[in-house]
Amino acid sequence: MSETPAQNRDTGADSTDWPLWEVFVRSRRGLSHTHAGSLHAPDAELALRNARDVYTRRGEGVSLWVVPSAAITASSPDEKDPFFEPAADKPYRHPTFYEIPEGVKHL
Amino acid sequence: MTQTDRQTQTTAAALALGDDALVLSHRLGEWIGHAPVLEEEVALANIALDLLGQARVLLSLVGDEDELAYLREERSFRNLHLVEQPNGDFAHTIARQLCFSAYQHLLYERLAHADTVFTPLATKAVKEIAYHLDHARQWTLRLGDGTDESHTRMQNAVDALWRFTGEMFQPLPGLTIDWQDLRDSWTKTVTGVLGEATLTVPTGPQTGAWSAGAGRQGLHTEPFGRMLAEMQHLHRSHPGASW
């Protein structure tokens, strides 16, 4: 690699300069986009291309979304109990009182 | 022309195209561990692997792919000067890719529509190359129309590599292609991207003083010998090694 001037690595942009993007992959038509991971990219167009290279190289997808990580509002782990526990003792919210008809998939 | 002559020409064309793909693949592979960011490293490695796949098919039309890649001397390689140029900075790598992918895309599109021994490969490869070209275009736009520093570097890269672009349009006898039409389309594509990227299309010559089809005749630029030494070293030190 003696031909690559050392300056490349010194002046190359650090990936921490680039915003983080969350990647969602739709594995086939009819299914929803699923979170696959995250990556750095300077803008949305390149984020899409990076996502193509990082997350769909083995034919995993037919469609990609990228979303700026900063645009996601997430629930806080500290609020886990008030957020989620009240749902635990309300079995009538679960559709467990029905027989699932034969032949219905993806339910 | 006899059947044998035609066969010889086809083999020579396969060797030239195969060497282009092999040598550029190796150059791009040199970025692994050195690319500015991980995501870009993956992108360059992906392109390198696509090219390596093309090289394997093409060299297999000529003979044993490993022997051809690892045991030939510099003078037996038929690749373009453009693809053997060192990576330089990232802008040089992108400029080289833009020039080559634009050429390869146009050429393979034509080969995909002709009925030759190259048709199956070209049909598959043209989709890969469309992505390589898009990748190079996206980066050319961002570097050219970016900061003063990136603009200067991108312009320097295009200027430095321009004199290697004329060789691409030297007709390869085994291929029935309208080379002038290919050249016109290439110029339109590349000058279009450079203009959009606010870069100046170089006015200098597209061939060096002594380089009339030089790479295609086995005469290479000085950095190629060193690249070859690195590429062939392992195979030559441990013949027949496998893992």
Side-chain angles (χ1 to χ4, degrees), chain A residues 1 3 8 40 43 49 53, chain B residues 27 30 39 88 134 142:
Chain A
M1 209 69 61
E3 291 151 15
N8 296 342
H40 289 97
D43 56 47
R49 282 161 179 81
D53 286 333
Chain B
R27 280 296 188 205
E30 288 176 354
E39 286 83 355
D134 177 64
R142 279 160 183 77

Side-chain angles (χ1 to χ4, degrees), chain A residues 27-71:
Chain A
S27 52
R28 59 194 156 89
R29 277 175 60 83
L31 297 187
S32 28
H33 286 75
T34 310
H35 187 235
S38 56
L39 47 74
H40 289 97
D43 56 47
E45 284 298 304
L46 284 177
L48 212 47
R49 282 161 179 81
N50 287 346
R52 177 259 195 198
D53 286 333
V54 177
Y55 294 109
T56 66
R57 321 171 44 182
R58 297 169 194 90
E60 292 96 332
V62 293
S63 165
L64 274 173
W65 287 348
V66 289
V67 179
S69 304

Side-chain angles (χ1 to χ4, degrees), chain A residues 1-5 7-9 11-15 18 39-40 42-43 45-46 49-50 52-54 57, chain B residues 27 30-31 34 36-37 39-40 42-43 46 49 86 88-89 131 134 138-139 142 153 223 226-227 230:
Chain A
M1 209 69 61
S2 55
E3 291 151 15
T4 309
Q7 74 211 30
N8 296 342
R9 273 155 266 154
T11 55
D14 192 321
S15 64
W18 288 357
L39 47 74
H40 289 97
D43 56 47
E45 284 298 304
L46 284 177
R49 282 161 179 81
N50 287 346
R52 177 259 195 198
D53 286 333
V54 177
R57 321 171 44 182
Chain B
R27 280 296 188 205
E30 288 176 354
W31 274 107
H34 299 268
V37 293
E39 286 83 355
E40 194 48 41
V42 174
N46 255 336
L49 282 173
D89 60 10
Y131 184 77
D134 177 64
Q138 295 291 342
W139 272 115
R142 279 160 183 77
R153 281 177 182 252
R226 275 179 280 144
M227 191 212 94
E230 189 172 302

Side-chain angles (χ1 to χ4, degrees), chain B residues 202-222:
Chain B
T203 48
Q206 283 180 270
T207 47
W210 56 276
S211 66
R216 293 284 190 237
Q217 265 125 57
L219 301 172
H220 293 279
T221 54
E222 192 244 334

Side-chain angles (χ1 to χ4, degrees), chain B:
Chain B
M1 192 160 53
T2 68
Q3 187 69 32
T4 324
D5 291 340
R6 213 166 292 141
Q7 185 57 45
T8 311
Q9 285 194 345
T10 305
T11 308
L15 188 66
L17 299 181
D19 283 349
D20 284 349
L22 174 67
V23 170
L24 187 53
S25 167
H26 188 83
R27 280 296 188 205
L28 290 170
E30 288 176 354
W31 274 107
I32 294 170
H34 299 268
V37 293
L38 180 67
E39 286 83 355
E40 194 48 41
E41 183 162 304
V42 174
L44 292 173
N46 255 336
I47 296 174
L49 282 173
D50 285 346
L51 288 165
L52 191 63
Q54 296 164 14
R56 292 190 60 182
V57 175
L58 288 161
L59 294 181
S60 298
L61 296 172
V62 181
D64 181 90
E65 50 181 306
D66 279 347
E67 268 179 40
L68 286 165
Y70 294 124
L71 297 175
R72 264 184 304 160
E73 300 292 335
E74 186 181 328
R75 285 287 183 110
S76 310
F77 278 80
R78 291 291 179 265
N79 54 281
L80 299 162
H81 281 182
L82 178 69
V83 296
E84 73 195 31
Q85 295 312 303
N87 288 335
D89 60 10
F90 188 66
H92 273 76
T93 295
I94 292 301
R96 185 182 62 196
Q97 199 65 45
L98 177 70
C99 292
F100 182 73
S101 294
Y103 159 76
Q104 204 193 16
H105 190 249
L106 292 163
L107 178 62
Y108 279 44
E109 241 176 12
R110 283 157 173 77
L111 293 176
H113 289 106
D115 188 21
T116 67
V117 63
F118 301 109
T119 308
L121 167 72
T123 308
K124 175 173 172 285
V126 84
K127 290 183 210 136
E128 300 169 347
I129 302 162
Y131 184 77
H132 306 169
L133 180 57
D134 177 64
H135 176 263
R137 183 177 162 272
Q138 295 291 342
W139 272 115
T140 305
L141 297 180
R142 279 160 183 77
L143 295 174
D145 195 10
T147 63
D148 287 346
E149 169 84 10
S150 71
H151 179 88
T152 308
R153 281 177 182 252
M154 196 65 218
Q155 186 68 57
N156 288 346
V158 175
D159 291 348
L161 293 170
W162 198 247
R163 68 194 165 98
F164 299 112
T165 55
E167 191 189 358
M168 296 189 288
F169 311 107
Q170 290 264 332
L172 283 166
L175 307 179
T176 319
I177 299 277
D178 183 344
W179 292 92
Q180 187 56 46
D181 174 59
L182 180 73
R183 183 175 199 141
D184 294 343
S185 305
W186 181 87
T187 306
K188 200 166 157 239
T189 304
V190 172
T191 56
V193 175
L194 295 182
E196 210 184 329
T198 72
L199 295 161
T200 311
V201 179
T203 48
Q206 283 180 270
T207 47
W210 56 276
S211 66
R216 293 284 190 237
Q217 265 125 57
L219 301 172
H220 293 279
T221 54
E222 192 244 334
F224 184 56
R226 275 179 280 144
M227 191 212 94
L228 217 50
E230 189 172 302
M231 188 176 96
Q232 297 184 333
H233 158 257
L234 189 72
H235 188 90
R236 286 182 186 266
S237 307
H238 306 277
S242 64
W243 58 288

